[in-house]
Amino acid sequence: MEPNSTGKSGNSAMFKICGFIVDKRNLFFLIFILLAIFSAFSRNWVNVENSLASYLPQHTETKQGLDLMNEEFVTYGSCTVMIANISYEQAGKIKENLEDIPGVFTVNFDETDKHYNNGSARFDITFDKDEDDDACLISLNEVKQLIEPYDSYLSTTLGDIQSELIAEEMNVISVLVVIVVLTVLLITTQAYAEIPVLLITFGAGAVLQLGSNFIFGTISFVSNSVTIVLQLALSVDYAVIFLNRYKEEHRDKEPREAIITALTKAIPEISGSSLTTVGGLIAMTFMQYKIGPDMGIVLIKAIVLSLISVFLLMPGIIMLFAPLMEKTRHKNFIPDIPFVGKFDYSTRFIISPLFLVAIIVAFFIQNKCPYVFGYSTLHTPIQNRVQIADEMIDDNFGDDNLIALVVPAGNYESEKKLLTRLESCPEVRSCTGLANTEAIGGYTLTDRLSPRQFSELLDMDYEVAQLIYTAYAVNDEDYAKVVNGLPSYRVPLIDMFMFIHEEIDEGYVTLDDDTQETLDNAYKMMNFAKEQLQGENYSRMLVYLNLPEESQATYDFIDKMHEMARDYYGGNIYTVGESVSQLDLKKTFSRDNLVVNIVSILVVLVVLLFTFKSAGMPILLIAVIQGSIWINFSVPSLQKDNIFFLSQLIVSSIQMGANIDYAIVIAGRYTELRESKGRRDSIIETMNASFPTIVTSGTMLAVAGILIGKLTSDGAIYGIGQCLGRGTIISIFITMFVLPQILLVGDTIISKTAFVMNMPIRTREALGLNHVNGIVRGRINGVVTGTMNAIVRGELSAFVEAGNVTPLTEEEAEEQINTLPMKVVDKEKKTGSIGTGTNKKNNDKGEVHGDEK
């Protein structure tokens, strides 16, 4: 029989929609198959951003400096090669071979310990194309082929090597997570055929998630790497809830009717459950550091797509596998745990105050958590080949902490003075700018030469040099120099070379072959330096520090660099580098951390208020989960283990949004049972009923986090996985062994802070024979409040929530009475009220057949 096919219940529209989903399942199968095929192609359209600095707020110095450098300067492709166990003579020959590779502009190698040390040679290779040009990758591959026979290590930012390595690691993690999920589902499901139903649903959501990321254009490598694993762990509850609902309805209904009824009940339940998770993720979108909104939005989309898969695809899959689920039933492997409820009840006055003390202490400890803002001080459990190469190079030749100092262009004298002053600082290893870069003949690029000096430098006729200088002065509109003092007229070497080259190209100047060759070679080197160090409006100086990337001393010296530069240039000074980026991240962290915590708590609080209709319950639940978060981040503080700051921002949001579900499961069940049972029995039954849900979802999320933390080489992803796995375990433990005691002790507070939301009630009127199935409040020959599944003969005047009233014929009534769990046919013994309400016995105006709750 079609549920509510002839009734006038307010839920009829929902039944029709759910019936359409089930009956048109082949249409939805086709849609999902087409979307999956599309996703196979569209997943390759998304761009992955590997730089964390790219997500800094626009007002930060690093972001402004990076944007400025992209506009003003050319950054040529480069790589560093270290070859171990070779002689200096062998290294010299390798350098020559490297220089012969097409596309290689320069290879820096000399006898100093910066390039040859401990039997190892370091080659700093620069290509002749911009780092974004694919031609660099071709040259890089030839470099790899040349050094392959040697004990070599290569470090470069070209290509997408780091992203590829992380993707390989996440593929391994995903396979392991699937194995764990299969194992958990084997234990927690009641039929082996339930597993493919759940896996197909999960897989569809994951495929759609990967295939839809292209709508964002570019996403971070963090979002690209961990979203699928987290999507599985966060959304597993939705499919499990729906499947459990189906199994409940299937006890007395055919599969189609059971699926439709289960779907009408599961949609509001699952949607409500997802709101807390989405609420926690929404908090991430309020971060100034844009990787938070990036990951938050991607994960919210993942949750929504998981809901779509459960609501639209899973009903049809259940219809397909329904016969097989009947045939593959097995015993329940999840035991009852009455001892947990008994322990919780007996320790309620001990655990509750201890937990209060614990979270207060944890709050102060986690405030001292050693957050870091770069990778230099992090030690991941595994290292990829890029990290190994970087570490080998650093061990033999020292690490390079490079800061780019960007100042207004045009004042070579100020630049030279600033470079000299910087080189005198003990914190500086070396620095490079146009004003101290050697050109030819012992001159630097910005040295000012007279016509006589210039002619001697290029072995040029003095008269020719004078003509060139005259042309330069006229072009520069400096006519006084032409008239009064051309012999003493001095022009920066680089400017004169740029001018002559332009004049030669335009045909205004002709030189002999030898001079032309000298000029061409010099111009090539000078232009190479100028494109990197001088733009239209700004000049760039490269400062190599003797300081670590992340330390207060480094941050202090960055401020000192600003002060020195302002002495010569005034304002508009920018510093750019890993250390500057980390300093900017440190400045944004405090604000982001506060905002994320406040927003996540407020959003979840609102959801819980409407869920429990009590002011006390949300506060207790949030206190439990927030306490779990504080305890989680107290661990690295006690261990003095550096943790990447992003872990706190992301994991605290996910832990609040996802782990609160465990608390809701226990609190909701306990509140329901307390209406008819005492505290002790309620908490024992609550823990028995809640344990399967918590152990299923919690195990998957915890294991996913642990595997991410153990099997990745990226510091940010490692921190997220480590903290998420540990935090989920802590949350499970606290919801099982602390939350029940808090509910027991706070029982009175919860009841006294409850409120009623007055909603307009649509009363159903019916006379005759009707099937009532739902939560009923009203009169059936007496006052009735409770959940009914009964056949009623008589007058009905009641509000029916989450159910329906269906008129029946005598034959249909007789058929349904035989299938009801409980039959009450003696009107003299069982008539009147059901559940709580006024009990009227011996009323022969009507009779009720069915469950009484």
Side-chain angles (χ1 to χ4, degrees):
M1 179 183 295
E2 177 76 30
N4 199 37
S5 58
T6 59
K8 299 179 182 179
S9 169
N11 289 318
S12 60
M14 178 65 77
F15 272 103
K16 289 179 181 178
I17 293 172
C18 295
F20 176 83
I21 293 172
V22 174
D23 293 338
K24 301 298 181 181
R25 55 189 176 275
N26 289 333
L27 172 63
F28 288 106
F29 288 160
L30 177 61
I31 292 173
F32 273 85
I33 290 172
L34 293 176
L35 289 175
I37 295 172
F38 175 79
S39 296
F41 296 95
S42 62
R43 63 174 299 179
N44 299 316
W45 301 344
V46 65
N47 295 317
V48 179
E49 176 58 64
N50 294 313
S51 173
L52 292 174
S54 299
Y55 291 93
L56 281 164
Q58 190 61 45
H59 68 266
T60 59
E61 183 178 16
T62 297
K63 183 64 174 174
Q64 293 179 7
L66 286 172
D67 292 344
L68 185 64
M69 289 199 303
N70 288 333
E71 295 173 4
E72 292 277 329
F73 310 109
V74 175
T75 301
Y76 288 98
S78 63
C79 68
T80 298
V81 171
M82 189 191 96
I83 299 180
N85 304 314
I86 59 171
S87 65
Y88 181 77
E89 289 72 20
Q90 289 176 302
K93 294 178 181 178
I94 293 173
K95 177 194 175 184
E96 295 175 0
N97 293 332
L98 289 171
E99 288 175 330
D100 291 336
I101 293 176
V104 171
F105 188 80
T106 60
V107 179
N108 290 333
F109 172 76
D110 54 41
E111 69 279 1
T112 65
D113 58 6
K114 291 182 179 180
H115 289 102
Y116 189 80
N117 189 36
N118 297 328
S120 299
R122 168 175 172 159
F123 305 94
D124 295 316
I125 303 171
T126 304
F127 301 107
D128 59 7
K129 300 292 183 182
D130 185 282
E131 62 180 355
D132 295 327
D133 195 318
D134 290 340
C136 290
L137 298 178
I138 297 173
S139 301
L140 180 65
N141 287 331
E142 294 198 35
V143 170
K144 292 178 181 178
Q145 294 175 11
L146 191 150
I147 65 175
E148 187 176 1
Y150 302 96
D151 182 8
S152 59
Y153 303 89
L154 185 145
S155 175
T156 184
T157 57
L158 293 174
D160 208 9
I161 298 176
Q162 188 73 7
S163 180
E164 293 172 1
L165 294 174
I166 293 173
E168 292 174 4
E169 294 167 359
M170 294 309 300
N171 288 336
V172 174
I173 292 171
S174 298
V175 171
L176 294 176
V177 169
V178 169
I179 294 173
V180 171
V181 168
L182 283 172
T183 304
V184 173
L185 292 178
L186 280 172
I187 297 172
T188 57
T189 54
Q190 297 174 348
Y192 294 117
E194 293 177 15
I195 296 175
V197 172
L198 295 173
L199 290 181
I200 293 172
T201 305
F202 297 154
V207 169
L208 295 185
Q209 166 64 10
L210 286 173
S212 59
N213 280 335
F214 76 95
I215 63 177
F216 301 122
T218 300
I219 62 174
S220 70
F221 73 93
V222 179
S223 300
N224 188 60
S225 302
V226 303
T227 299
I228 294 301
V229 176
L230 292 182
Q231 179 187 12
L232 171 60
L234 290 173
S235 61
V236 64
D237 284 350
Y238 311 148
V240 171
I241 289 172
F242 179 35
L243 188 59
N244 288 339
R245 278 289 185 184
Y246 163 73
K247 289 186 289 186
E248 290 177 10
E249 299 296 331
H250 187 44
R251 293 171 186 169
D252 58 355
K253 296 181 179 69
E254 292 299 316
R256 177 182 174 276
E257 184 181 356
I259 294 171
I260 294 173
T261 306
L263 190 57
T264 61
K265 297 177 179 179
I267 287 176
E269 182 180 356
I270 294 172
S271 299
S273 175
S274 67
L275 284 178
T276 55
T277 303
V278 172
L281 298 175
I282 287 174
M284 294 169 57
T285 65
F286 285 83
M287 289 169 52
Q288 283 185 321
Y289 187 40
K290 298 307 179 184
I291 206 166
D294 175 88
M295 191 170 182
I297 293 172
V298 172
L299 279 173
I300 289 172
K301 177 170 67 68
I303 298 298
V304 171
L305 291 173
S306 295
L307 291 175
I308 291 174
S309 296
V310 170
F311 294 155
L312 300 182
L313 180 64
M314 192 174 176
I317 299 174
I318 294 177
M319 279 293 292
L320 286 180
F321 283 86
L324 195 57
M325 284 194 284
E326 291 293 326
K327 295 178 182 179
T328 59
R329 287 184 173 274
H330 59 74
K331 69 176 183 177
N332 188 3
F333 297 116
I334 300 294
D336 287 338
I337 52 171
F339 60 91
V340 173
K342 293 176 182 178
F343 169 82
D344 293 338
Y345 183 79
S346 62
T347 60
R348 63 191 184 282
F349 295 117
I350 301 173
I351 297 297
S352 298
L354 286 178
F355 179 70
L356 179 61
V357 173
I359 62 174
I360 292 174
V361 173
F363 171 76
F364 289 102
I365 294 177
Q366 61 90 32
N367 276 336
K368 299 180 180 179
C369 191
Y371 297 111
V372 295
F373 302 89
Y375 288 179
S376 60
T377 58
L378 291 176
H379 302 286
T380 55
I382 63 173
Q383 287 186 310
N384 59 46
R385 62 177 182 269
V386 173
Q387 292 170 321
I388 293 172
D390 288 340
E391 186 172 311
M392 288 294 294
I393 294 172
D394 291 345
D395 288 345
N396 284 276
F397 300 100
D399 57 342
D400 292 329
N401 186 8
L402 170 62
I403 303 292
L405 178 60
V406 182
V407 299
N411 193 332
Y412 294 138
E413 292 300 322
S414 294
E415 181 175 325
K416 187 169 186 177
K417 291 176 182 178
L418 178 57
L419 286 168
T420 302
R421 188 172 169 185
L422 284 169
E423 288 178 325
S424 67
C425 296
E427 296 90 349
V428 175
R429 179 188 304 170
S430 64
C431 50
T432 301
L434 286 180
N436 69 349
T437 298
E438 185 176 344
I440 55 176
Y443 293 108
T444 64
L445 290 174
T446 61
D447 281 344
R448 293 178 175 273
L449 273 64
S450 65
R452 175 69 65 185
Q453 290 172 312
F454 189 75
S455 66
E456 292 173 353
L457 178 66
L458 294 183
D459 196 19
M460 178 189 295
D461 289 341
Y462 179 61
E463 289 77 12
V464 174
Q466 284 182 312
L467 290 174
I468 293 173
Y469 268 65
T470 300
Y472 182 91
V474 172
N475 184 71
D476 201 35
E477 298 184 355
D478 197 353
Y479 304 109
K481 295 294 183 182
V482 178
V483 176
N484 300 323
L486 189 61
S488 61
Y489 184 30
R490 295 178 179 272
V491 178
L493 184 60
I494 187 171
D495 292 347
M496 182 54 70
F497 268 89
M498 297 298 111
F499 173 74
I500 295 175
H501 188 270
E502 183 178 343
E503 294 296 298
I504 292 174
D505 284 347
E506 293 179 1
Y508 298 128
V509 175
T510 303
L511 302 174
D512 61 74
D513 292 343
D514 292 339
T515 304
Q516 183 69 50
E517 183 179 359
T518 302
L519 181 70
D520 288 342
N521 291 333
Y523 170 79
K524 183 179 179 182
M525 297 299 296
M526 291 182 185
N527 188 61
F528 181 76
K530 182 176 181 179
E531 288 187 328
Q532 296 183 85
L533 300 175
Q534 187 179 59
E536 184 177 349
N537 302 299
Y538 286 87
S539 292
R540 178 166 61 175
M541 288 168 265
L542 307 180
V543 184
Y544 294 88
L545 305 182
N546 289 317
L547 299 170
E549 278 188 4
E550 188 167 1
S551 72
Q552 190 56 49
T554 306
Y555 301 151
D556 292 341
F557 188 71
I558 291 172
D559 291 336
K560 185 177 178 181
M561 288 173 63
H562 276 278
E563 293 174 5
M564 288 190 288
R566 278 194 291 267
D567 289 341
Y568 301 98
Y569 293 95
N572 296 327
I573 308 297
Y574 300 92
T575 54
V576 182
E578 286 297 326
S579 295
V580 184
S581 173
Q582 291 162 26
L583 178 58
D584 286 334
L585 290 172
K586 186 177 182 180
K587 292 176 180 177
T588 63
F589 173 65
S590 297
R591 183 264 184 194
D592 282 346
N593 192 26
L594 180 63
V595 169
V596 165
N597 285 330
I598 291 176
V599 173
S600 62
I601 289 174
L602 288 178
V603 173
V604 172
L605 179 64
V606 171
V607 174
L608 295 180
L609 277 173
F610 284 95
T611 300
F612 290 100
K613 299 178 179 64
S614 167
M617 180 68 84
I619 294 174
L620 292 178
L621 298 186
I622 288 176
V624 167
I625 299 302
Q626 187 60 56
S628 303
I629 295 172
W630 289 339
I631 293 172
N632 183 17
F633 287 96
S634 295
V635 174
S637 183
L638 293 172
Q639 294 177 338
K640 300 188 184 303
D641 184 18
N642 289 341
I643 182 170
F644 197 59
F645 79 103
L646 199 59
S647 307
Q648 158 72 15
L649 297 174
I650 291 177
V651 173
S652 61
S653 298
I654 295 176
Q655 194 173 345
M656 175 58 74
N659 293 173
I660 196 74
D661 284 348
Y662 312 150
I664 292 173
V665 168
I666 292 176
R669 181 75 67 166
Y670 175 76
T671 303
E672 179 183 337
L673 292 173
R674 277 291 287 129
E675 295 179 1
S676 57
K677 296 184 179 182
R679 296 183 184 183
R680 184 177 185 276
D681 292 340
S682 296
I683 205 65
I684 292 173
E685 189 171 335
T686 293
M687 301 314 295
N688 281 335
S690 304
F691 181 63
T693 301
I694 294 174
V695 74
T696 301
S697 175
T699 300
M700 291 181 186
L701 185 56
V703 171
I706 291 170
L707 288 175
I708 291 172
K710 293 292 185 182
L711 298 176
T712 184
S713 59
D714 182 83
I717 297 174
Y718 156 70
I720 292 171
Q722 180 190 43
C723 295
L724 183 60
R726 182 179 60 234
T728 302
I729 293 172
I730 291 172
S731 295
I732 292 172
F733 179 84
I734 289 178
T735 52
M736 294 291 293
F737 296 101
V738 176
L739 175 62
Q741 289 91 324
I742 293 175
L743 292 175
L744 290 165
V745 173
D747 191 280
T748 303
I749 299 174
I750 295 169
S751 60
K752 287 188 175 181
T753 57
F755 57 87
V756 176
M757 297 180 64
N758 293 321
M759 301 293 288
I761 297 177
R762 183 182 177 186
T763 301
R764 294 299 313 278
E765 303 288 344
L767 181 66
L769 191 60
N770 294 280
H771 179 198
V772 181
N773 180 16
I775 300 172
V776 180
R777 183 164 68 252
R779 298 184 64 84
I780 305 178
N781 288 326
V783 179
V784 176
T785 300
T787 302
M788 293 185 65
N789 182 15
I791 306 299
V792 176
R793 186 190 301 274
E795 297 178 1
L796 168 68
S797 177
F799 168 63
V800 181
E801 180 183 354
N804 54 83
V805 177
T806 308
L808 302 174
T809 64
E810 289 290 345
E811 292 77 10
E812 291 171 338
E814 187 64 31
E815 180 182 350
Q816 289 203 25
I817 288 173
N818 294 330
T819 62
L820 290 174
M822 173 180 175
K823 293 190 292 182
V824 182
V825 295
D826 189 346
K827 66 182 179 181
E828 295 295 321
K829 294 181 180 180
K830 294 275 187 175
T831 60
S833 76
I834 299 176
T836 60
T838 304
N839 201 12
K840 294 185 178 181
K841 295 185 179 180
N842 301 320
N843 185 339
D844 60 0
K845 291 184 180 179
E847 54 183 334
V848 178
H849 307 267
D851 289 343
E852 299 188 47
K853 299 180 182 178

